[in-house]
Amino acid sequence: METTLSKCSECGASIDPLPDDGFTRYARLVAAYLDHFAEEHPDHDLLDAPEVHL
């Protein structure tokens, strides 16, 4: 199964990158993905995973 950061692996919600702030699109997408998990799935193990996981 392929993992993509543009769709939540838990609930299927679409995730868009944060607004352009000088960082790459991928960095903004990672931040938006983590924000989504923090807000919608606060007890998920991903939030405790080492940074290299993503």
Side-chain angles (χ1 to χ4, degrees):
M1 183 173 136
E2 184 178 322
T3 301
T4 178
L5 297 178
S6 61
K7 190 172 188 178
C8 177
S9 60
E10 291 296 306
C11 67
S14 178
I15 299 173
D16 296 319
L18 295 178
D20 192 356
D21 58 0
F23 287 95
T24 65
R25 182 183 188 283
Y26 182 75
R28 292 181 289 116
L29 185 57
V30 168
Y33 192 81
L34 292 175
D35 283 352
H36 170 80
F37 267 80
E39 292 173 11
E40 301 298 326
H41 314 289
D43 297 326
H44 196 279
D45 292 340
L46 176 68
L47 299 174
D48 294 326
E51 291 179 16
V52 295
H53 183 72
L54 292 173

